[in-house]
Amino acid sequence: MEERLHKILAQWGIASRRHAEKMILDGRVRLNGTVAQLGQKADTQRDRIEVDGVIIQPTQRPQHLYLLLNKPVGVVSTCDDPWQRSTVLDLLPEALQQGQGLHPVGRLDFDSTGALLLTNDGELTFLLTHPRHQIPKTYNVWVQGRPSEAVLQQWRRGVMLSNRKTSPAQVRVLDRQMGKTLLEIVLHEGRNRQIRRVAEQLGHPVLELHRVAIGPIQLEQLPPGQYRTLTDYEINFLQTETISPKQGTGP
């Protein structure tokens, strides 16, 4: 049965669908000895697929891994970086950095910290990052100044970003100190730098941003730069969410 190459690579745990597409565009994938083209299809029972000169065998694909990482500041949420900055894979043991197909699910900004999922289950990554899947993500965010209740209500209702209103969010004050406020923010969408852009627009720029949970998957006391394996309950939650996504747009 023929399927698109980038989907095959994701199913085998080589990379996420998005990263697999980039690998194909970069000329790193060959199909039957010829440099593959984006959109090409292949039959795993008949065709020879190579990645970086290594023939890929479906029977050799690694066991699925599901990890939670506490991303520190100054690390990029990618598998490789053209500017040679540290990536989230650099935080893993050497045995997990190569040959396992691990990649981040979604992103955290360079200056942001906290909960980030890593997996080699490319199909799950594709489904979790699809806009229709709205798993709530919880953040602790220090912002400049003291947002008024009117500002917080505006944030909760939604703010126009790039000609489109953000989905409703949960926003509550956890602490106030001299010149800054700690907010707990729960989002059901993940637009690019959303919290930072909204905070800036409302006049209270972000000072620190830390993601503490993805759905019921809690960071808790996991130290910065460390990771743990997801529990069976947490894995089941992710798989269930992708099968039967919730239809709401937020609380």
Side-chain angles (χ1 to χ4, degrees), residues 68 108 113-116 134-141 169-172 174 183-189 195 209-220 251:
L68 177 68
L108 275 176
T113 63
L116 183 69
Q134 301 168 340
I135 295 175
K137 298 179 178 64
T138 306
Y139 302 81
N140 287 350
V141 184
Q170 293 176 332
V171 183
R172 69 185 181 101
L174 296 180
L183 302 175
E184 179 187 78
I185 301 173
V186 182
L187 297 183
H188 290 252
E189 61 179 349
I195 291 176
L209 189 153
H210 183 66
R211 185 156 67 196
V212 297
I214 300 170
I217 304 171
Q218 303 284 330
L219 198 60
E220 296 181 332

Short mmCIF file of all heavy atoms in Angstrom, two decimals, residues 68 108 113-116 134-141 169-172 174 183-189 195 209-220 251:
data_model
loop_
_atom_site.label_atom_id
_atom_site.label_comp_id
_atom_site.label_asym_id
_atom_site.label_seq_id
_atom_site.Cartn_x
_atom_site.Cartn_y
_atom_site.Cartn_z
N LEU A 68 8.44 13.74 29.17
CA LEU A 68 8.16 15.11 29.58
C LEU A 68 9.48 15.74 30.01
O LEU A 68 10.18 15.20 30.86
CB LEU A 68 7.17 15.14 30.74
CG LEU A 68 6.85 16.54 31.30
CD1 LEU A 68 6.08 17.36 30.27
CD2 LEU A 68 6.08 16.45 32.61
N LEU A 108 8.31 25.72 22.82
CA LEU A 108 8.40 26.77 23.82
C LEU A 108 9.46 27.74 23.33
O LEU A 108 10.50 27.32 22.82
CB LEU A 108 8.79 26.21 25.19
CG LEU A 108 7.67 25.66 26.09
CD1 LEU A 108 8.28 25.06 27.36
CD2 LEU A 108 6.66 26.74 26.46
N THR A 113 10.32 28.62 29.68
CA THR A 113 10.74 27.40 30.35
C THR A 113 9.53 26.51 30.61
O THR A 113 8.38 26.92 30.47
CB THR A 113 11.43 27.71 31.69
OG1 THR A 113 10.47 28.36 32.56
CG2 THR A 113 12.61 28.64 31.50
N GLY A 114 9.84 25.26 31.01
CA GLY A 114 8.78 24.41 31.49
C GLY A 114 8.45 23.18 30.65
O GLY A 114 9.29 22.68 29.89
N ALA A 115 7.21 22.73 30.79
CA ALA A 115 6.77 21.43 30.28
C ALA A 115 6.78 21.37 28.76
O ALA A 115 6.14 22.18 28.09
CB ALA A 115 5.37 21.12 30.81
N LEU A 116 7.49 20.38 28.24
CA LEU A 116 7.55 20.14 26.79
C LEU A 116 7.55 18.63 26.56
O LEU A 116 8.35 17.90 27.16
CB LEU A 116 8.82 20.75 26.20
CG LEU A 116 8.98 20.65 24.68
CD1 LEU A 116 7.95 21.54 23.98
CD2 LEU A 116 10.39 21.05 24.26
N GLN A 134 -7.46 20.72 21.19
CA GLN A 134 -7.27 21.87 22.07
C GLN A 134 -7.00 21.42 23.50
O GLN A 134 -7.76 21.69 24.42
CB GLN A 134 -8.49 22.78 21.99
CG GLN A 134 -8.73 23.29 20.57
CD GLN A 134 -10.09 23.94 20.41
OE1 GLN A 134 -11.00 23.72 21.20
NE2 GLN A 134 -10.23 24.75 19.38
N ILE A 135 -5.89 20.73 23.71
CA ILE A 135 -5.51 20.31 25.04
C ILE A 135 -5.10 21.54 25.84
O ILE A 135 -4.24 22.31 25.40
CB ILE A 135 -4.36 19.30 24.98
CG1 ILE A 135 -4.82 18.01 24.29
CG2 ILE A 135 -3.83 18.97 26.37
CD1 ILE A 135 -3.73 16.99 24.06
N PRO A 136 -5.68 21.76 27.01
CA PRO A 136 -5.33 22.97 27.79
C PRO A 136 -3.87 22.92 28.27
O PRO A 136 -3.38 21.87 28.68
CB PRO A 136 -6.30 22.92 28.96
CG PRO A 136 -6.70 21.48 29.08
CD PRO A 136 -6.69 20.94 27.69
N LYS A 137 -3.23 24.06 28.20
CA LYS A 137 -1.86 24.19 28.69
C LYS A 137 -1.83 25.30 29.73
O LYS A 137 -2.38 26.38 29.51
CB LYS A 137 -0.90 24.49 27.54
CG LYS A 137 -0.84 23.38 26.49
CD LYS A 137 0.10 23.73 25.35
CE LYS A 137 0.19 22.59 24.34
NZ LYS A 137 -1.10 22.33 23.65
N THR A 138 -1.18 25.01 30.86
CA THR A 138 -1.18 25.94 31.99
C THR A 138 0.19 26.57 32.16
O THR A 138 1.21 25.87 32.16
CB THR A 138 -1.57 25.20 33.28
OG1 THR A 138 -2.82 24.52 33.08
CG2 THR A 138 -1.71 26.16 34.45
N TYR A 139 0.18 27.89 32.33
CA TYR A 139 1.41 28.67 32.43
C TYR A 139 1.40 29.52 33.70
O TYR A 139 0.36 30.06 34.08
CB TYR A 139 1.56 29.62 31.23
CG TYR A 139 1.56 28.94 29.89
CD1 TYR A 139 0.37 28.57 29.26
CD2 TYR A 139 2.76 28.68 29.21
CE1 TYR A 139 0.36 27.95 28.03
CE2 TYR A 139 2.76 28.06 27.97
CZ TYR A 139 1.55 27.70 27.39
OH TYR A 139 1.55 27.09 26.16
N ASN A 140 2.56 29.68 34.31
CA ASN A 140 2.78 30.69 35.33
C ASN A 140 3.60 31.79 34.68
O ASN A 140 4.71 31.54 34.19
CB ASN A 140 3.52 30.11 36.54
CG ASN A 140 2.63 29.21 37.39
OD1 ASN A 140 1.42 29.16 37.20
ND2 ASN A 140 3.23 28.49 38.31
N VAL A 141 3.05 33.00 34.68
CA VAL A 141 3.65 34.09 33.91
C VAL A 141 3.80 35.34 34.78
O VAL A 141 2.81 35.86 35.31
CB VAL A 141 2.77 34.44 32.68
CG1 VAL A 141 3.46 35.49 31.83
CG2 VAL A 141 2.48 33.18 31.85
N ALA A 169 -9.64 32.48 27.52
CA ALA A 169 -8.58 31.90 28.35
C ALA A 169 -8.94 32.07 29.82
O ALA A 169 -9.72 32.95 30.20
CB ALA A 169 -7.25 32.59 28.06
N GLN A 170 -8.39 31.20 30.64
CA GLN A 170 -8.50 31.36 32.09
C GLN A 170 -7.29 32.17 32.55
O GLN A 170 -6.15 31.80 32.25
CB GLN A 170 -8.51 30.00 32.79
CG GLN A 170 -9.74 29.16 32.49
CD GLN A 170 -9.66 27.78 33.12
OE1 GLN A 170 -8.58 27.25 33.33
NE2 GLN A 170 -10.80 27.19 33.42
N VAL A 171 -7.54 33.26 33.26
CA VAL A 171 -6.46 34.11 33.76
C VAL A 171 -6.78 34.49 35.20
O VAL A 171 -7.85 35.04 35.47
CB VAL A 171 -6.31 35.39 32.91
CG1 VAL A 171 -5.13 36.22 33.41
CG2 VAL A 171 -6.13 35.05 31.43
N ARG A 172 -5.86 34.18 36.12
CA ARG A 172 -6.07 34.59 37.51
C ARG A 172 -4.75 35.02 38.13
O ARG A 172 -3.68 34.55 37.73
CB ARG A 172 -6.73 33.48 38.33
CG ARG A 172 -5.87 32.26 38.60
CD ARG A 172 -6.68 31.18 39.31
NE ARG A 172 -5.89 29.99 39.62
CZ ARG A 172 -5.40 29.74 40.83
NH1 ARG A 172 -5.62 30.57 41.84
NH2 ARG A 172 -4.70 28.63 41.05
N LEU A 174 -1.95 35.09 40.89
CA LEU A 174 -1.39 34.23 41.92
C LEU A 174 -0.60 35.02 42.96
O LEU A 174 -0.55 34.66 44.13
CB LEU A 174 -0.47 33.18 41.29
CG LEU A 174 -1.09 32.16 40.34
CD1 LEU A 174 -0.02 31.20 39.83
CD2 LEU A 174 -2.22 31.39 41.02
N LEU A 183 0.72 35.63 37.09
CA LEU A 183 -0.56 35.15 36.60
C LEU A 183 -0.51 33.67 36.30
O LEU A 183 0.52 33.16 35.85
CB LEU A 183 -0.96 35.90 35.32
CG LEU A 183 -1.06 37.42 35.37
CD1 LEU A 183 -1.33 37.96 33.96
CD2 LEU A 183 -2.15 37.86 36.34
N GLU A 184 -1.63 32.98 36.54
CA GLU A 184 -1.82 31.63 36.01
C GLU A 184 -2.71 31.77 34.79
O GLU A 184 -3.81 32.31 34.87
CB GLU A 184 -2.47 30.72 37.03
CG GLU A 184 -2.69 29.30 36.49
CD GLU A 184 -3.48 28.43 37.42
OE1 GLU A 184 -4.73 28.59 37.47
OE2 GLU A 184 -2.87 27.62 38.13
N ILE A 185 -2.24 31.27 33.65
CA ILE A 185 -2.96 31.39 32.39
C ILE A 185 -3.16 30.00 31.81
O ILE A 185 -2.19 29.24 31.67
CB ILE A 185 -2.20 32.28 31.39
CG1 ILE A 185 -1.99 33.68 31.99
CG2 ILE A 185 -2.94 32.37 30.05
CD1 ILE A 185 -1.10 34.57 31.16
N VAL A 186 -4.39 29.66 31.47
CA VAL A 186 -4.70 28.38 30.84
C VAL A 186 -5.21 28.66 29.44
O VAL A 186 -6.22 29.35 29.26
CB VAL A 186 -5.76 27.60 31.64
CG1 VAL A 186 -6.02 26.24 30.97
CG2 VAL A 186 -5.30 27.39 33.08
N LEU A 187 -4.50 28.12 28.45
CA LEU A 187 -4.86 28.32 27.04
C LEU A 187 -5.33 27.01 26.42
O LEU A 187 -4.84 25.93 26.78
CB LEU A 187 -3.67 28.84 26.24
CG LEU A 187 -3.07 30.20 26.61
CD1 LEU A 187 -1.95 30.54 25.63
CD2 LEU A 187 -4.13 31.28 26.61
N HIS A 188 -6.23 27.13 25.45
CA HIS A 188 -6.69 25.97 24.67
C HIS A 188 -6.26 26.09 23.22
O HIS A 188 -6.76 25.36 22.37
CB HIS A 188 -8.21 25.85 24.77
CG HIS A 188 -8.70 25.42 26.12
ND1 HIS A 188 -9.21 24.18 26.38
CD2 HIS A 188 -8.73 26.10 27.30
CE1 HIS A 188 -9.55 24.09 27.66
NE2 HIS A 188 -9.27 25.24 28.24
N GLU A 189 -5.37 27.01 22.94
CA GLU A 189 -4.81 27.15 21.60
C GLU A 189 -3.34 27.53 21.75
O GLU A 189 -2.90 27.89 22.85
CB GLU A 189 -5.55 28.21 20.79
CG GLU A 189 -5.49 29.60 21.38
CD GLU A 189 -6.21 30.65 20.53
OE1 GLU A 189 -6.57 30.34 19.39
OE2 GLU A 189 -6.40 31.78 21.03
N ILE A 195 1.00 34.34 24.39
CA ILE A 195 0.94 35.02 25.69
C ILE A 195 1.78 36.29 25.67
O ILE A 195 1.35 37.35 26.15
CB ILE A 195 1.41 34.07 26.80
CG1 ILE A 195 0.38 32.95 27.00
CG2 ILE A 195 1.61 34.84 28.12
CD1 ILE A 195 0.78 31.91 28.02
N LEU A 209 8.12 33.36 31.66
CA LEU A 209 7.02 32.50 31.24
C LEU A 209 7.43 31.05 31.46
O LEU A 209 8.44 30.59 30.94
CB LEU A 209 6.67 32.75 29.77
CG LEU A 209 5.39 32.08 29.24
CD1 LEU A 209 4.81 32.89 28.08
CD2 LEU A 209 5.66 30.66 28.76
N HIS A 210 6.61 30.34 32.24
CA HIS A 210 6.93 28.96 32.62
C HIS A 210 5.69 28.10 32.46
O HIS A 210 4.65 28.37 33.07
CB HIS A 210 7.40 28.94 34.08
CG HIS A 210 7.81 27.59 34.57
ND1 HIS A 210 8.92 26.91 34.08
CD2 HIS A 210 7.27 26.78 35.53
CE1 HIS A 210 9.04 25.75 34.71
NE2 HIS A 210 8.06 25.65 35.59
N ARG A 211 5.75 27.07 31.60
CA ARG A 211 4.61 26.16 31.42
C ARG A 211 4.69 25.07 32.47
O ARG A 211 5.70 24.35 32.56
CB ARG A 211 4.60 25.57 30.01
CG ARG A 211 3.36 24.72 29.74
CD ARG A 211 3.07 24.63 28.25
NE ARG A 211 4.08 23.89 27.52
CZ ARG A 211 4.22 23.92 26.20
NH1 ARG A 211 3.43 24.68 25.46
NH2 ARG A 211 5.16 23.21 25.60
N VAL A 212 3.61 24.91 33.24
CA VAL A 212 3.62 23.96 34.35
C VAL A 212 2.84 22.69 34.06
O VAL A 212 3.02 21.68 34.76
CB VAL A 212 3.08 24.62 35.64
CG1 VAL A 212 3.98 25.76 36.06
CG2 VAL A 212 1.64 25.10 35.46
N ALA A 213 1.97 22.71 33.03
CA ALA A 213 1.17 21.51 32.76
C ALA A 213 0.66 21.50 31.33
O ALA A 213 0.42 22.55 30.73
CB ALA A 213 -0.01 21.42 33.73
N ILE A 214 0.50 20.28 30.81
CA ILE A 214 -0.14 20.04 29.52
C ILE A 214 -1.28 19.08 29.79
O ILE A 214 -1.06 17.89 30.02
CB ILE A 214 0.86 19.45 28.51
CG1 ILE A 214 2.03 20.40 28.29
CG2 ILE A 214 0.16 19.13 27.18
CD1 ILE A 214 3.18 19.79 27.50
N GLY A 215 -2.52 19.61 29.83
CA GLY A 215 -3.62 18.78 30.30
C GLY A 215 -3.33 18.34 31.73
O GLY A 215 -2.92 19.14 32.57
N PRO A 216 -3.50 17.05 32.03
CA PRO A 216 -3.21 16.56 33.38
C PRO A 216 -1.74 16.21 33.60
O PRO A 216 -1.36 15.74 34.68
CB PRO A 216 -4.08 15.30 33.46
CG PRO A 216 -4.06 14.77 32.07
CD PRO A 216 -4.06 16.00 31.17
N ILE A 217 -0.91 16.42 32.59
CA ILE A 217 0.52 16.07 32.68
C ILE A 217 1.24 17.21 33.38
O ILE A 217 1.48 18.27 32.79
CB ILE A 217 1.12 15.79 31.29
CG1 ILE A 217 0.32 14.69 30.59
CG2 ILE A 217 2.59 15.42 31.40
CD1 ILE A 217 0.69 14.48 29.14
N GLN A 218 1.58 17.01 34.64
CA GLN A 218 2.12 18.05 35.50
C GLN A 218 3.65 18.00 35.55
O GLN A 218 4.24 16.93 35.66
CB GLN A 218 1.57 17.90 36.92
CG GLN A 218 0.06 17.93 37.02
CD GLN A 218 -0.50 19.33 36.89
OE1 GLN A 218 0.14 20.31 37.26
NE2 GLN A 218 -1.71 19.43 36.36
N LEU A 219 4.25 19.19 35.51
CA LEU A 219 5.71 19.27 35.64
C LEU A 219 6.15 18.99 37.07
O LEU A 219 7.15 18.31 37.31
CB LEU A 219 6.17 20.67 35.21
CG LEU A 219 7.64 20.85 34.86
CD1 LEU A 219 8.04 19.95 33.69
CD2 LEU A 219 7.92 22.31 34.53
N GLU A 220 5.41 19.53 38.03
CA GLU A 220 5.67 19.36 39.46
C GLU A 220 7.12 19.67 39.80
O GLU A 220 7.62 20.75 39.49
CB GLU A 220 5.24 17.96 39.91
CG GLU A 220 3.73 17.74 39.76
CD GLU A 220 3.25 16.39 40.19
OE1 GLU A 220 4.03 15.41 40.12
OE2 GLU A 220 2.07 16.29 40.60
N PRO A 251 -12.77 27.62 28.26
CA PRO A 251 -13.70 27.68 29.36
C PRO A 251 -14.59 28.91 29.28
O PRO A 251 -14.26 29.87 28.64
CB PRO A 251 -12.79 27.75 30.58
CG PRO A 251 -11.51 28.33 30.06
CD PRO A 251 -11.40 27.85 28.66
#
